[in-house]
Amino acid sequence: MTLDTTLDRAAAGSAKPAARVLAVDGLTKTFMMYHLDRRLPGFDDVSFTLAEGEFLLLSGENGAGKSTLLRTLFRTYVPNRGTALFHMSDGGTIDLARAADIDIVQLRKGEIGFVTQFLNARPRVSAEDLVAEPLVLAGRPFEAAREEARRLLGAFGLQPALFPAYPSTFSGGEQQKVNLARALIRPPRLLLLDEPTASLDRTARAALVDRLARMKAAGVAMIGVFHHPEDVAALVDRDVHLTRQKIRENADVAE
């Protein structure tokens, strides 16, 4: 399969110690249900650090707050307390828990990526153009971006006849392939993965793991929730296990 060669170049040229990307300390999220006059816990007192090229797996029972934690780091939700210090590529540091919305929007354009199992397909935009868009916005010539989009869609197993078609007409599995290709075509500094393999066949899952391995080697830091964690077992450096009222961090997967 053919993937973005910029990942290989970045990995080959990286020999310095991995720099810190994220430091989470005491992060807590609860939800107020006003009609019940009660608070429901999302997650409580989460702390961990993450470096370049490190893959952190979030595990735990249903309802422990794994997806909520990812959405809080992406700032879909605002935490109740704690900090999440993100070290940007320009050397600056920003607290994702308190950053202004405009700063979060800028970070999402290139520094922080989020992959879910759902595609927000826009009407009358083809699969290849939807996937190519992040590269075009970053300054890549349109035809070069579209060609890279086709290569990545093919790697995930989407049939070439569907490249110019509208994803809104696709099956759930086909839409997820488009979703992954769009999210991964331009590697961010921090990648958040929320059940990305849920609707994928075996070939697409293998292609995803291969892509993530290349991104990890190129220095992308990743935090993921996986229904089948064995898919990414070879990539995982640490496992942060969430329970309903506490968190336990394992220092090393091998241990």
Side-chain angles (χ1 to χ4, degrees):
M1 84 187 49
T2 304
L3 293 179
D4 189 352
T5 55
T6 58
L7 298 179
D8 299 316
R9 290 197 297 270
S14 178
K16 61 183 180 181
R20 178 171 291 185
V21 172
L22 185 67
V24 174
D25 184 27
L27 205 63
T28 298
K29 176 62 183 175
T30 60
F31 297 92
M32 184 64 190
M33 300 188 69
Y34 293 97
H35 67 293
L36 297 178
D37 193 25
R38 62 178 295 187
R39 290 185 179 274
L40 295 181
F43 54 85
D44 182 62
D45 196 24
V46 174
S47 300
F48 61 84
T49 61
L50 188 68
E52 290 179 345
E54 194 171 23
F55 194 118
L56 190 149
L57 179 71
L58 294 181
S59 63
E61 60 188 317
N62 290 338
K66 302 184 294 296
S67 294
T68 301
L69 175 55
L70 290 180
R71 292 187 175 97
T72 302
L73 293 174
F74 197 59
R75 264 291 294 277
T76 302
Y77 301 143
V78 177
N80 298 86
R81 63 177 181 269
T83 59
L85 300 180
F86 178 69
H87 299 265
M88 298 178 289
S89 57
D90 64 3
T93 301
I94 188 170
D95 185 359
L96 300 178
R98 294 172 175 79
D101 290 346
I102 190 171
D103 292 327
I104 295 297
V105 169
Q106 290 302 314
L107 289 174
R108 289 177 178 179
K109 289 181 178 180
E111 299 255 353
I112 302 177
F114 192 96
V115 182
T116 73
Q117 54 185 299
F118 306 107
L119 174 69
N120 184 18
R122 297 199 303 274
R124 294 181 294 280
V125 178
S126 69
E128 59 191 9
D129 288 349
L130 191 65
V131 173
E133 187 177 53
L135 292 183
V136 174
L137 293 176
R140 184 84 66 89
F142 179 75
E143 285 304 323
R146 180 183 274 182
E147 184 60 30
E148 181 61 31
R150 291 167 178 161
R151 284 198 293 266
L152 195 52
L153 286 168
F156 282 120
L158 192 73
Q159 296 300 314
L162 295 178
F163 293 174
Y166 300 148
S168 57
T169 65
F170 292 0
S171 68
E174 290 168 338
Q175 286 192 359
Q176 180 61 349
K177 293 172 183 178
V178 176
N179 190 35
L180 286 171
R182 176 182 168 84
L184 303 181
I185 195 168
R186 186 184 178 207
R189 181 166 173 76
L190 172 63
L191 179 63
L192 308 172
L193 301 135
D194 189 11
E195 298 281 11
T197 62
S199 303
L200 297 182
D201 53 47
R202 181 172 299 181
T203 299
R205 284 159 65 183
L208 171 61
V209 173
D210 181 78
R211 182 71 175 183
L212 294 180
R214 291 172 180 262
M215 294 174 71
K216 175 181 169 69
V220 177
M222 291 177 268
I223 306 174
V225 177
F226 287 81
H227 186 66
H228 299 287
E230 62 274 13
D231 289 343
V232 294
L235 304 179
V236 175
D237 297 295
R238 286 182 295 136
D239 181 350
V240 168
H241 186 85
L242 275 67
T243 63
R244 289 188 180 275
Q245 289 300 328
K246 65 180 181 179
I247 179 172
R248 180 177 69 254
E249 177 175 354
N250 297 335
D252 192 288
V253 171
E255 296 177 1

